[in-house]
Amino acid sequence: MEQFGLIKALQADCANKDWRFVSGDRWHRNAEITKQGGLDVGEIVMTAFMSNAQPRFVNSVIDRITYSAEIMLGRKFDEIGDTSSLDETFIQKYERRLEELAKLMATFLASFACEHRLTIQSSTFQFYLNQYDENLDFCGGNVTFIDEDFRVVE
């Protein structure tokens, strides 16, 4: 992964998986999801916002970057077409989407870190219900990656 290339790498991985990718602050993510519209049954949406990047300098050269990002995976419909709605109970949401999203998030993060030679320093998952104007259910939260094996692009 290139220096400071976390968002670009997440976006490319989503494209390879046919997942929607939306980045930016909460307002921009909502606007983009609403603008794109047309969510399909079973379609995954990833939202990502890089909170900060902390480069470590040794002799004026970056030798390590620690990234903190909010990364979430969400879904409007489960695989059989049940729609996320305000009328569902938490248990219904959990059984229809959230448990699967938590497992998918853990698998994705492990694979992403391995593929890009990152170390996951910490992660915290939460469930976010009926998010954005489209009422998507999400699993995600803050993830901290350490990159000590990046490519310098000049």
Side-chain angles (χ1 to χ4, degrees):
M1 188 170 77
E2 296 176 11
Q3 279 184 335
F4 306 103
L6 180 67
I7 297 296
K8 188 188 304 182
L10 288 168
Q11 184 178 27
D13 278 28
C14 285
N16 290 336
K17 294 179 180 309
D18 289 325
W19 293 353
R20 288 200 195 190
F21 179 80
V22 181
S23 189
D25 64 20
R26 183 169 174 76
W27 186 90
H28 286 98
R29 291 186 305 236
N30 184 52
E32 188 64 26
I33 289 169
T34 302
K35 182 175 98 176
Q36 290 177 5
L39 294 164
D40 295 325
V41 170
E43 185 174 6
I44 299 291
V45 176
M46 176 184 280
T47 67
F49 182 69
M50 190 167 67
S51 305
N52 63 60
Q54 301 170 352
R56 182 176 76 181
F57 290 85
V58 174
N59 296 326
S60 301
V61 175
I62 297 172
D63 76 334
R64 169 180 160 159
I65 302 173
T66 302
Y67 300 99
S68 294
E70 177 188 89
I71 301 172
M72 301 194 314
L73 291 181
R75 207 176 235 168
K76 171 86 174 163
F77 306 99
D78 59 27
E79 294 293 337
I80 61 171
D82 288 328
T83 304
S84 174
S85 74
L86 297 171
D87 296 331
E88 288 179 300
T89 67
F90 174 79
I91 294 299
Q92 287 173 318
K93 288 179 174 294
Y94 182 80
E95 291 172 347
R96 292 175 180 171
R97 285 174 294 284
L98 297 174
E99 180 182 23
E100 179 189 352
L101 287 170
K103 291 175 183 176
L104 185 60
M105 181 69 156
T107 302
F108 171 79
L109 289 175
S111 173
F112 180 81
C114 184
E115 178 183 344
H116 296 283
R117 298 180 180 168
L118 301 170
T119 300
I120 299 174
Q121 183 178 38
S122 66
S123 64
T124 304
F125 291 5
Q126 293 178 292
F127 295 129
Y128 300 87
L129 310 178
N130 302 310
Q131 297 294 295
Y132 308 115
D133 292 343
E134 298 295 319
N135 277 337
L136 280 81
D137 292 332
F138 283 91
C139 175
N142 295 314
V143 182
T144 302
F145 297 102
I146 298 174
D147 186 358
E148 296 179 296
D149 190 35
F150 48 79
R151 294 188 323 270
V152 177
V153 176
E154 303 192 26

